[in-house]
Amino acid sequence: MREAIKLSIENIPNGGGPFGAVIARNGEIIATGVNRVTASGDPTAHAEVSAIRNAARVLGTFNLSGCEIFTSCEPCPMCLGAIYWARLDKVYYANTKNDAKAIGFDDSFIYDELALPRDRRRLPSEPVLRDEAIKAFGIWQTKEDKIEY
């Protein structure tokens, strides 16, 4: 955790947000990541997502079972989703989402939006061309050499 905190502090003068993350396996650091959203112009360049991408590259797999993530702040909804998809075994965090909210990083609106029915969310969404798109799912379902994830 101290390495994640150190990364979060070092990232600030380098043009990034105050967030750092470390992925470890068996007590050994596999990969790190820092927040580079504004520096890169990439809204997904959060510390946790960057660390997951780096760990997947180092280990040569999308399945990070057996690894744990240490992050300087409680993960936002996007990062938490990525952590679940990566199958990390455990999340350790230092600052809380309320600490982040207090300095202007407020993700609570996303949790609030997800709890609403689709027709009451701020971001409109509607299904389009499902009858055409479903064909890809049928092909995937019958593919014999697919890699499940």
Side-chain angles (χ1 to χ4, degrees), residues 1-147:
M1 180 58 78
R2 286 187 178 96
E3 182 64 19
I5 294 167
K6 178 180 159 225
L7 289 168
S8 73
I9 293 168
E10 291 173 349
N11 195 46
I12 297 167
N14 292 324
F19 304 97
V22 170
I23 294 180
R25 182 172 62 183
N26 300 323
E28 179 185 335
I29 294 176
I30 302 297
T32 64
V34 292
N35 179 287
R36 302 302 292 166
V37 170
T38 58
S40 69
D42 178 354
T44 68
H46 288 204
E48 297 91 338
V49 171
S50 297
I52 289 168
R53 289 174 179 160
N54 291 334
R57 188 171 34 259
V58 166
L59 297 175
T61 181
F62 59 86
N63 185 336
L64 301 181
S65 296
C67 297
E68 299 173 325
I69 188 165
F70 296 80
T71 180
S72 65
C73 187
E74 187 172 359
C76 75
M78 176 186 68
C79 292
L80 189 58
I83 288 166
Y84 275 103
W85 278 113
R87 295 183 181 91
L88 289 159
D89 290 355
K90 190 167 184 177
V91 178
Y92 298 92
Y93 61 90
N95 293 315
T96 68
K97 61 184 177 183
N98 291 329
D99 296 330
K101 182 178 182 177
I103 64 163
F105 293 93
D106 185 10
D107 299 318
S108 61
F109 76 97
I110 298 173
Y111 290 107
D112 295 343
E113 285 286 302
L114 290 173
L116 294 173
R118 281 191 189 97
D119 64 343
R120 294 191 49 221
R121 294 179 186 166
R122 284 187 261 170
L123 180 63
S125 67
E126 67 179 270
V128 179
L129 300 177
R130 180 182 175 269
D131 56 329
E132 293 180 32
I134 200 72
K135 292 173 188 172
F137 284 10
I139 295 167
W140 173 258
Q141 193 171 21
T142 61
K143 182 175 171 47
E144 292 185 17
D145 63 342
K146 66 185 166 211
I147 298 173

